[in-house]
Amino acid sequence: MNRPRPRLARIWVFGLVALSLVGTLVARLGQVQIGDHAQYERAAATLNTRTVTEPAVRGRILDRNGLPLADNSTRTVVSVSRGVLADAGDGGRALVQRIATALQVPFDELWGRTQLCGAKGAPPQPVCWAGSPYVPVPLVSGADPARALGLLEHPDTFPGVTVGAQPVRDYPQSSVNAAHVLGYLGQASESDVASSRGAVTGLDLVGRAGLEQQYDAQLRGVPGSDTVSLDPRGVVDGQVSSTAPVPGKDLVTNLDARVQSAAESALRSAATSARTRGFRADSGAAVVLDVTNGAVVAAASYPTYDPAVWTGGISTRALAALTDASTGTPLVSRVTAGAYPPASTFKVVSIPAAVEAGNDLRGTYQCGSSYTIGNRRFANYESRAYGPIDLRRAIVVSCDTIFYDFAYRSWLAQGGLDAKSDAADPFVAMAKELGLGAATGVDLPGEQAGRIPDRAWKQATWAATRTDTCARARTGYPEVAATDPGRAAYLRSLAVENCRTGFQFRAGDAANFAIGQGDTTATPLQMARVYAAIANGGTLWTPQVAKGFEAPGGVLEPVPPKAAGKVTFPAGTLAFMQDALVGVVRQGTGVGAFRGFPLDQWPVAGKTGTAEAFGKQDTAWFVSYAPADKPQYAVAVVVSQGGTGGATAAPAARRIYDVLRTLP
């Protein structure tokens, strides 16, 4: 009779536990609904809004007279509301089909565009939509304007369809290319977005080369933003707030469209002419600097390409063409990244170095057909002998053997092979003082430093390549021998020599260095800068493309010129070289190119150069400045494998001066 009591007790215990749990739940609900109401309301609002970034209009790139070199244009974009697609019973397929038919574009391409990249079943890029899911989907970019606007005339047939304008880069100056200076735009990468601290979104285009890259932050401006609210399906149903974007600043450059056009045309004609004479003329550059402040007035590279190829995204085929070595790798700028042996244009470095070494500036020297060092014969160009001549005449006719003698005697005075450093080498010192072997600091990305092959360079290069060099000394070059046995034998003999003593700065290295040959290289921009320093009395300016920035409706914010240093020349040397360079154009190797040019009114000072390299045709140089009596512009022209400087490069420079002398 007493057994039911424990069971009744357990029921009471379970009832108390249940009551306690219900009480806790009610208390928690009360806290959520009353005490934490504001907090959860804010969270709900956050979950139901999204912020969409609106890119700013990119600033233009202008020449120094205000002509737009890179402008903004628009292309017609047809977009469709995501809400309309979501509301349609078929997900919007019928609507997209009607749009495709009206615009005469493939349906599959448009339908894929409605799918977010990464979503299940979405096609790969660039077909899928990689942008924000909270803005209308741009189905067609670059649509025919008439057909696109026709959609708006039938809102019942094309609900949720909008037609707008998308900004793209435009290049309005048909006579100016300037592709390597201007650069191009590319889609922002994850690293661009991550490093920008909110300034760049995944939808933005950012500078990838040239001025577009160098001054991307100023050109890009400040993006705006729209905060939108979403319904439970994730479709936008309202706008919460909006911040307008701030347009980018216009970049005003030091480029002159007339001079840039002339430089491009002259360079192209020089290469074409050289080819008719049997030369490959595979690349080249032309540079114009203002000698008074380092402003880059023109910079042309050959071969070049249409900068508009990047607009809207470049195809794989087009990109391959730009990087194809067989077509000259058009993407590479020969102005800043093309390093060539400067040949006899380098003699303006060797003259002051020779004087520093103790040679008389007014002395007479023997210009023979060749000069022998040890068992090696160094020939004068075309083996021509001029007999005893002064240094001015040596520059005018471009005698090499006098400079071989200067370099060899200086090498001996420094200790020959026993010299351990370059500290006492006047030729190396003068080259470096004139900025060679180091980047100029021009405001363009991708600049090469060129090469001054001094003792330190020889030692470092030998250490880095010795293993491979010694292996080649043993095995030779069978892959070269299959088609060119003579070249293979030459290369192996070099490998044998360099394996043992490649670290040595030999007498032959010094001789070649003095005439800008051997391992010495310089960019056209570097050589233009050297001659600008000779023209202006020794100031080495940092080349600068940017003149200033201008906000819409604002005033120009100038980018001030920067002097990199002052070159110290031995007494009397500067005036001597200025006179000798005028002689080159009036009586020497440049006379043919400037026949008929008004030299009395607008004198030109310059030097030709013809660089020789084993297995290649000669590279043509002409570096100069004018007017010689009141210098304003320095012009450098180089054509790789283009023949002699006097026949190929100097005529191109003359065409550029034809325009320069007409400027106010």
Side-chain angles (χ1 to χ4, degrees):
M1 298 294 295
N2 295 327
R3 289 183 180 177
R5 289 186 177 180
R7 183 178 179 185
L8 182 61
R10 286 195 297 271
I11 292 173
W12 276 104
V13 170
F14 287 135
L16 288 173
V17 171
L19 184 62
S20 175
L21 290 173
V22 171
T24 301
L25 179 59
V26 170
R28 180 58 181 156
L29 287 172
Q31 180 186 2
V32 169
Q33 293 182 11
I34 300 173
D36 296 340
H37 174 77
Q39 176 184 344
Y40 280 91
E41 185 177 44
R42 288 192 298 271
T46 302
L47 289 172
N48 288 292
T49 62
R50 293 293 186 273
T51 298
V52 180
T53 301
E54 181 183 355
V57 175
R58 195 170 182 86
R60 302 173 299 166
I61 302 177
L62 313 174
D63 90 334
R64 64 182 182 180
N65 298 307
L67 288 175
L69 302 176
D71 205 341
N72 294 311
S73 184
T74 57
R75 58 171 55 187
T76 302
V77 179
V78 176
S79 303
V80 64
S81 166
R82 294 189 62 82
V84 170
L85 295 177
D87 287 339
D90 62 353
R93 292 183 68 92
L95 172 60
V96 174
Q97 180 64 69
R98 292 195 297 273
I99 296 172
T101 301
L103 298 180
Q104 298 184 5
V105 293
F107 165 78
D108 290 341
E109 181 180 319
L110 268 60
W111 181 245
R113 194 68 170 166
T114 68
Q115 315 299 305
L116 292 173
C117 293
K120 184 178 180 180
Q125 292 191 35
V127 178
C128 63
W129 169 232
S132 171
Y134 310 112
V135 298
V137 180
L139 291 179
V140 181
S141 180
D144 178 84
R147 291 195 179 99
L149 292 174
L151 302 179
L152 301 182
E153 297 175 359
H154 305 282
D156 294 339
T157 305
F158 303 104
V161 172
T162 57
V163 177
Q166 179 188 54
V168 293
R169 269 309 198 210
D170 181 44
Y171 304 93
Q173 304 303 319
S174 59
S175 63
V176 175
N177 177 268
H180 299 90
V181 181
L182 297 175
Y184 59 91
L185 303 176
Q187 196 72 40
S189 65
E190 290 184 10
S191 61
D192 292 324
V193 176
S195 62
S196 71
R197 298 182 179 180
V200 176
T201 73
L203 297 178
D204 283 340
L205 296 174
V206 297
R208 292 298 187 211
L211 295 172
E212 297 277 23
Q213 177 180 335
Q214 186 77 22
Y215 296 111
D216 183 66
Q218 295 90 334
L219 289 165
R220 189 173 60 246
V222 181
S225 63
D226 290 311
T227 301
V228 296
S229 59
L230 310 177
D231 66 14
R233 300 169 302 167
V235 175
V236 175
D237 63 4
Q239 186 178 70
V240 177
S241 64
S242 178
T243 302
V246 179
K249 295 179 180 179
D250 288 342
L251 169 59
V252 181
T253 70
N254 287 309
L255 299 173
D256 187 299
R258 294 164 295 182
V259 184
Q260 179 70 26
S261 177
E264 291 169 359
S265 175
L267 184 60
R268 185 169 56 249
S269 295
T272 301
S273 174
R275 287 199 194 98
T276 65
R277 291 178 276 119
F279 295 98
R280 296 186 184 92
D282 53 5
S283 66
V287 184
V288 181
L289 297 181
D290 187 324
V291 306
T292 67
N293 57 15
V296 179
V297 180
S301 180
Y302 178 86
T304 190
Y305 62 91
D306 182 0
V309 71
W310 300 96
T311 300
I314 191 170
S315 68
T316 302
R317 182 177 181 180
L319 181 59
L322 294 182
T323 55
D324 188 351
S326 67
T327 59
T329 321
L331 193 57
V332 175
S333 170
R334 266 64 186 199
V335 172
T336 56
Y340 309 89
S344 289
T345 65
F346 190 82
K347 287 173 181 173
V348 296
V349 177
S350 296
I351 283 287
V355 173
E356 195 69 37
N359 296 284
D360 185 358
L361 192 61
R362 304 296 173 182
T364 299
Y365 302 92
Q366 184 68 34
C367 178
S369 62
S370 65
Y371 187 85
T372 301
I373 299 176
N375 61 356
R376 185 176 175 185
R377 176 179 173 272
F378 291 81
N380 204 14
Y381 183 71
E382 295 181 341
S383 299
R384 185 171 180 179
Y386 290 90
I389 58 175
D390 60 23
L391 278 185
R392 184 182 188 279
R393 176 78 172 153
I395 291 291
V396 169
V397 300
S398 203
C399 176
D400 290 337
T401 50
I402 289 175
F403 288 88
Y404 294 146
D405 179 61
F406 287 159
Y408 180 53
R409 288 189 288 107
S410 175
W411 180 81
L412 290 173
Q414 295 165 58
L417 291 176
D418 294 330
K420 302 302 180 184
S421 79
D422 301 297
D425 192 327
F427 291 86
V428 170
M430 182 54 62
K432 291 184 176 181
E433 190 170 358
L434 280 163
L436 298 176
T440 67
V442 65
D443 52 344
L444 289 171
E447 183 185 13
Q448 298 298 311
R451 181 169 58 234
I452 296 300
D454 55 15
R455 292 163 182 81
W457 178 85
K458 291 276 289 187
Q459 180 69 42
T461 302
W462 180 75
T465 62
R466 184 183 182 189
T467 299
D468 290 340
T469 301
C470 292
R472 285 295 191 177
R474 294 189 300 271
T475 64
Y477 293 81
E479 70 280 10
V480 179
T483 56
D484 192 342
R487 178 172 173 77
Y490 172 75
L491 292 174
R492 185 172 188 177
S493 67
L494 285 181
V496 170
E497 181 180 4
N498 288 328
C499 176
R500 296 194 307 266
T501 59
F503 61 90
Q504 294 178 335
F505 188 81
R506 308 181 185 96
D509 295 323
N512 277 325
F513 186 85
I515 63 163
Q517 293 271 184
D519 292 311
T520 307
T521 63
T523 68
L525 182 62
Q526 287 176 318
M527 293 309 298
R529 187 191 192 205
V530 167
Y531 276 67
I534 292 170
N536 66 33
T539 301
L540 205 62
W541 290 99
T542 298
Q544 197 157 279
V545 184
K547 183 178 182 180
F549 298 95
E550 191 171 66
V555 297
L556 184 70
E557 303 168 10
V559 177
K562 293 176 288 187
K566 188 78 173 179
V567 181
T568 302
F569 293 99
T573 305
L574 193 58
F576 169 85
M577 288 194 297
Q578 291 169 342
D579 175 63
L581 294 174
V582 170
V584 170
V585 177
R586 287 187 175 273
Q587 303 107 23
T589 54
V591 67
F594 285 87
R595 189 170 286 112
F597 189 87
L599 292 173
D600 290 337
Q601 293 78 36
W602 225 73
V604 176
K607 183 73 188 76
T608 58
T610 304
E612 301 173 83
F614 184 81
K616 291 188 176 182
Q617 295 174 315
D618 294 344
T619 288
W621 280 90
F622 186 73
V623 192
S624 55
Y625 63 86
D629 53 357
K630 192 177 180 181
Q632 181 68 41
Y633 303 105
V635 175
V637 177
V638 61
V639 179
S640 172
Q641 301 196 85
T644 66
T648 301
R654 185 253 173 86
R655 290 185 58 179
I656 297 171
Y657 281 124
D658 281 336
V659 174
L660 286 171
R661 67 187 180 86
T662 67
L663 299 182

